Structures are given as C-alpha cells and as structure tokens.
Amino acid sequence: MTGQHSSWSDVDHYLIDTLVGEDDALAAARLSSRDTTAPGIEVTANQGRLLKMLAELIGARRVIEFGTLAGYSAIWLARAVGDGGVVTSLELEEQNAGIARANAERAGVADRVDVVVGPARVSAQALVDAGAEPYDFAFIDADKQSTPEYLRLVLELTHPGSVIVIDNVVRGGAVADQDSADEQVQGIRTALADVAANPALEATALQTVGLKGWDGFAIIRRVS
Ligand code: SAH
Ligand code: DHB
Ligand code: MG
C-alpha cells in the first residue's frame, strides 16, 4: 500500500508493538493464514485485543464466531473466555478449519475452541435446533452478503446482555453508497438497518484505519 495507507500501517505497527504484542502462538496463527483460502484477512493484533477485552468486560464464557479462517481471532476470544469457556467457530472451508485447529492446539486452547465445518447458516441453525446454551458474545466475520442472516441467527443464540461485533462494516467507505452494486456492501447495509429497527438492540459503529486499510466494526448490545 502507498501514501496514506503506509502511515496507517506504520501507526498500527507502533501501537501493536507498544501496547499489544503477540506471543508465538498468535504470531504463528497469523502467519499460517497464508495457507488458507483467504490469506491475510484476519483481524489485526490490536483488533484482536479489542475483541478479547470486549468479551472480558462482559465476563463472556461462551462465544460464537462466524468465519474462522486460521483461528487467529478465535485464539484471542478463547483467551477471553478462559479455562472452561467455549468458542464455537463456524467455517465453510475444511482446509481453513484444519489450520485453525492446529493453531488452537499450539496456543493451548484446543479444549475450548470448537471449529464447526460447513455453511455458517446451516451450522448456526443446527445449534438453534439443538437448543444450544445461549452465547454471551458473537463475532460475525464470514461472507458479508449473509450478515443479515447471521444476525438473525445470532439473536436466536444469545441472551439479553450479549454483545455482538460485526467486522468489515465500512469497506473502504463503500458502505455509505446506498446504490452500491456490491452484494457484500448491501449485506452490511441491510444488517445495520435491521439492527437499527430492532428495539432490543443498542448499537454503534466505528471506522478504523490501519494495516487492513479503511474499515470498521459495529458493536451491538442486546438490551432485551
Ligand atoms: N475471524 C477470522 C477471519 C475470518 S475471514 C479472524 O479474524 O481471524 C472469513 C472466513 O469466513 C473465511 O475463512 C471464509 O472461508 C469463511 N466463510 C466464507 N463464507 C462462509 C460461509 N458461508 N460459512 C462459513 N464460513 C464462511
Ligand atoms: C475481507 C473479509 C474480511 O473478513 C476482512 O476482515 C477483510 C477483507 C474480504 O473478503 O475481502
Ligand atoms: Mg473480517
């Protein structure tokens, strides 16, 4: 990346080096993303720390994630839930799931990370049908066009007080284009409109710049 983006990256490197750091297991998981079907799209270390802190702030013991990739964010979240906690992470690609399980093993959290292979809407519906114990925290980070569906499923899998984070809600600014022909952008726009229309949810969204360019998170709390 050039120009402004290189200074965004310089600042992310500075912040990560100064405040966050990465132990060997996280660094290895991040690097292993090169062997997945979507190299390099995992959250950055400072974003991973944010996810962990948000989950810890609400005392989350059960986390559900849509989109595992190499398990990088799952490891951060597994550290938040602690010993005896659960991270259920839904991933379409067997190849990615295998890499993620190996990374969870190396990080010492394999006992609390359950990678479920298949289309996330199918896996999540199966959890609903099985009467899964509610989750305290959800991270939606899979195929963006399906985000409205994932939000609907998450509302069946969480409880009042649960926190839901949606990644990639800004997409280089594309989210503000109501006429966008990009189905991923429209998926995010529909999901955010659904959040706004739901009186059970309080939400905000923040733009971010950094190693992954210009993007953002939506942070949602179920109040009822
Ligand atoms: N949360 C990860 C990054 C996930 S990248 C991290 O930050 O470390 C998005 C992932 O979603 C990819 O691994 C991709 O294979 C997966 N994915 C795409 N479509 C999916 C679907 N329909 N169901 C489940 N996972 C899907
Ligand atoms: C993409 C997906 C992500 O989840 C992400 O964080 C960055 C990029 C993508 O599909 O391009
Ligand atoms: Mg993402």
Side-chain angles (χ1 to χ4, degrees):
M1 286 190 251
T2 56
Q4 188 69 11
H5 288 70
S6 78
S7 57
W8 296 349
S9 293
D10 290 346
V11 172
D12 251 358
H13 284 304
Y14 162 72
L15 296 174
I16 291 165
D17 289 349
T18 303
L19 288 173
V20 181
E22 255 182 354
D23 62 11
D24 291 348
L26 280 169
R30 185 168 48 72
L31 291 173
S32 78
S33 135
R34 70 164 67 106
D35 303 319
T36 68
T37 59
I41 68 169
E42 67 281 352
V43 295
T44 59
N46 46 346
Q47 293 172 340
R49 172 66 64 74
L50 174 67
L51 294 174
K52 174 174 179 278
M53 291 174 67
L54 289 172
E56 286 176 334
L57 283 165
I58 60 162
R61 299 288 284 160
R62 291 176 55 80
V63 171
I64 185 160
E65 174 176 73
F66 290 67
T68 314
L69 196 66
Y72 183 79
S73 54
I75 292 171
W76 280 106
L77 291 165
R79 290 178 176 176
V81 299
D83 205 13
V86 174
V87 177
T88 304
S89 187
L90 313 181
E91 171 57 46
L92 181 62
E93 305 286 351
E94 185 71 58
Q95 177 186 340
N96 301 349
I99 292 166
R101 290 186 186 113
N103 286 328
E105 184 76 40
R106 178 170 30 210
V109 292
D111 56 330
R112 48 184 118 132
V113 175
D114 185 17
V115 183
V116 181
V117 178
R121 73 180 66 211
V122 175
S123 302
Q125 185 62 53
L127 289 167
V128 172
D129 294 345
E133 191 184 327
Y135 290 90
D136 310 304
F137 186 97
F139 182 44
I140 302 180
D141 189 25
D143 52 316
K144 310 307 166 190
Q145 62 273 24
S146 302
T147 305
E149 181 72 2
Y150 299 154
L151 177 68
R152 188 188 67 71
L153 287 157
V154 159
L155 294 177
E156 296 198 57
L157 288 164
T158 50
H159 57 81
S162 294
V163 168
I164 304 158
V165 175
I166 306 178
D167 194 21
N168 311 115
V169 301
V170 173
R171 306 297 291 220
V175 73
D177 177 9
Q178 64 178 10
D179 301 321
S180 174
D182 181 338
E183 62 177 358
Q184 302 192 44
V185 169
Q186 292 301 341
I188 295 294
R189 288 181 61 90
T190 299
L192 295 182
D194 292 348
V195 169
N198 189 333
L201 303 176
E202 180 176 26
T204 190
L206 293 173
Q207 302 183 70
T208 57
V209 295
L211 285 163
K212 294 179 67 184
W214 175 22
D215 215 321
F217 289 112
I219 303 176
I220 303 158
R221 182 168 172 85
R222 256 188 93 162
V223 293
S224 63

